[in-house]
């Protein structure tokens, strides 16, 4: 597929997607959001892509938010479409069938943090700054930030971050549970790829179903979540991967999963 704002590189099944508007600190305009929707489709459908890494072009920003200049001239109707498109992009990344890791290489603000929160988890460079500064502009987070962030770090910390528009360092964001790992800027992609290749050794269908169970289950009460897990689990027993994984263990060899 052709993308106007994202560059792609497939490294042995790990697709590195760089949002590529460095002059605007990779800010999200409708073109980027449309490209993210297309990208999520491509990742789902393209068997050569096993895992997606989202990052920003350049050494300054992951994504510095929604495009403020583009928003200035939006009519209410255009803002409504922008809102729908943003939500569609975030949900498609969140529910992509394959794992998605955010490699946060710099400013990760507003819609940029909302995008990173839609990924399965976040690794960040020591230089990264993360926050939801929308209230500085007289607006508030509108691409899922008021919903995904409190579910991740709790209501009170989320409200403090949103109300103060504070920018957290990568280290603070890790302490708050937003970031899983902090790396030097030079080693960020290497560390992400190392983890990606660990994940790729596992059963792909198992990862896909585990992701569904976590994503769909965490918004349910515990009994409904457990019922969901019980409902999803038996299907893994119909896969070749399950037979291969268990046979390989018993034969004391590495499993050769086919994703079937
Ligand atoms: N949008 C557009 N351009 C941006 C940008 C952004 N978010 N952030 C930076 N830029 C541009 C700057 O304007 C500048 O462009 P030129 O002047 O060179 O043409 C260039 O990137 C470099 O930025 P700076 O010169 O400002 O660089 P500094 O190192 O001095 O500062 C900074 C870096 C990240 C601290 C600063 O650029 C900054 O504060 N940027 C804005 C961060 C921000 O407020 N982000 C939140 C955006 S609001 C919606 C749902 C959701 C949203 C909106 C609507 N609906 C449901 C409708 C989401 C809103 C947001 O994300």
């Amino acid at each position: 597929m052709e993308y106007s704002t994202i560059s792609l590189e497939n490294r042995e099944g790990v697709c590195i997607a760089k949002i590529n508007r460095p002059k605007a600190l990779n800010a999200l305009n409708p073109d980027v959001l449309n490209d993210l929707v297309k990208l999520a489709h491509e990742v789902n459908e393209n068997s050569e892509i096993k895992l997606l890494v989202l990052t920003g072009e350049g050494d300054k920003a992951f994504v510095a938010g929604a495009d403020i200049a583009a928003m200035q001239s939006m009519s209410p109707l255009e803002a409504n479409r922008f809102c729908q498109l943003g939500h569609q992009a975030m949900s498609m990344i969140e529910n992509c069938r394959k794992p998605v890791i955010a490699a946060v290489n710099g400013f990760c603000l507003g819609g940029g943090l909302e995008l990173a929160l839609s990924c399965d988890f976040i690794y960040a460079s020591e230089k990264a700054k993360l926050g939801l500064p929308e209230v500085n502009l007289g607006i508030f987070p509108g691409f899922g930030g008021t919903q995904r962030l409190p579910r991740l770090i709790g209501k009170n910390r989320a409200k403090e971050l949103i109300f103060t528009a504070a920018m957290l360092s990568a280290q603070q964001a890790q302490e708050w549970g937003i970031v899983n790992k902090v790396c030097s800027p030079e080693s960020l992609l290497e560390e992400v790829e190392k983890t990606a290749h660990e994940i790729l050794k596992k059963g792909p269908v198992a990862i896909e179903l585990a992701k569904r169970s976590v994503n769909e289950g965490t918004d349910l009460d515990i009994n409904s979540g457990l019922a969901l897990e019980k409902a999803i689990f038996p299907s893994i027993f119909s896969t070749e991967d399950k037979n291969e994984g268990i046979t390989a263990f018993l034969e004391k060899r590495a499993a050769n999963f086919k994703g079937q």
Side-chain angles (χ1 to χ4, degrees):
M1 277 193 210
E2 292 291 310
Y3 298 91
S4 60
T5 63
I6 296 179
S7 63
L8 295 190
E9 190 186 342
N10 193 336
R11 299 188 196 162
E12 296 168 17
V14 176
C15 175
I16 312 281
K18 290 188 178 173
I19 298 174
N20 192 0
R21 300 186 67 218
K23 284 187 185 148
L25 302 189
N26 302 323
L28 302 175
N29 62 10
D31 291 342
V32 181
L33 294 174
N34 273 313
D35 275 353
L36 286 168
V37 169
K38 273 202 300 196
L39 177 64
H41 274 298
E42 176 165 8
V43 172
N44 279 336
E45 300 309 323
N46 184 341
S47 59
E48 284 174 17
I49 299 177
K50 314 281 186 205
L51 183 148
L52 174 66
V53 175
L54 271 185
T55 190
E57 185 62 61
D59 58 3
K60 201 166 165 185
F62 173 73
V63 169
D67 191 314
I68 298 171
M71 283 193 293
Q72 188 188 28
S73 54
M74 271 180 201
S75 66
L77 181 62
E78 286 166 335
N80 196 311
R81 288 187 182 137
F82 188 61
C83 170
Q84 301 296 331
L85 181 61
H87 275 267
Q88 186 190 6
M90 306 292 155
S91 293
M92 288 193 62
I93 293 293
E94 181 171 44
N95 296 309
C96 188
R97 290 210 302 270
K98 299 170 191 169
V100 183
I101 307 175
V104 169
N105 54 314
F107 288 111
C108 178
L109 302 174
L113 180 53
E114 292 171 305
L115 176 61
L117 291 171
S118 304
C119 298
D120 293 315
F121 54 87
I122 304 172
Y123 280 14
S125 140
E126 290 157 356
K127 280 180 24 188
K129 297 269 183 217
L130 301 93
L132 292 172
E134 284 88 341
V135 295
N136 285 334
L137 303 168
I139 58 174
F140 70 95
F143 286 155
T146 65
Q147 301 306 307
R148 290 192 178 94
L149 187 64
R151 281 166 170 77
L152 183 65
I153 65 173
K155 268 197 315 193
N156 292 11
R157 280 188 152 173
K159 283 190 275 190
E160 184 179 342
L161 202 60
I162 293 167
F163 295 176
T164 62
M167 282 192 211
L168 300 179
S169 67
Q171 187 63 45
Q172 286 169 310
Q174 185 180 32
E175 284 157 18
W176 281 35
I178 299 173
V179 161
N180 281 18
K181 189 169 189 176
V182 179
C183 315
S184 69
E186 305 74 38
S187 69
L188 175 64
L189 272 184
E190 199 181 305
E191 289 294 326
V192 169
E193 283 185 69
K194 216 187 285 174
T195 299
H197 285 291
E198 274 310 306
I199 294 171
L200 295 192
K201 289 183 203 156
K202 318 299 179 202
V205 186
I207 303 278
E208 178 184 337
L209 295 183
K211 175 168 173 169
R212 248 186 73 199
S213 189
V214 172
N215 278 4
E216 292 176 22
T218 39
D219 291 337
L220 303 175
D221 66 85
I222 182 75
N223 287 326
S224 308
L226 292 171
L228 174 81
E229 187 189 79
K230 273 192 285 183
I232 293 177
F233 191 84
S235 56
I236 201 70
F237 271 66
S238 63
T239 63
E240 288 175 25
D241 281 359
K242 169 253 161 193
N243 292 339
E244 166 63 8
I246 288 179
T247 306
F249 176 81
L250 295 173
E251 291 176 355
K252 301 187 190 304
R253 60 172 174 82
N256 178 18
F257 292 117
K258 302 226 162 60
Q260 285 165 0

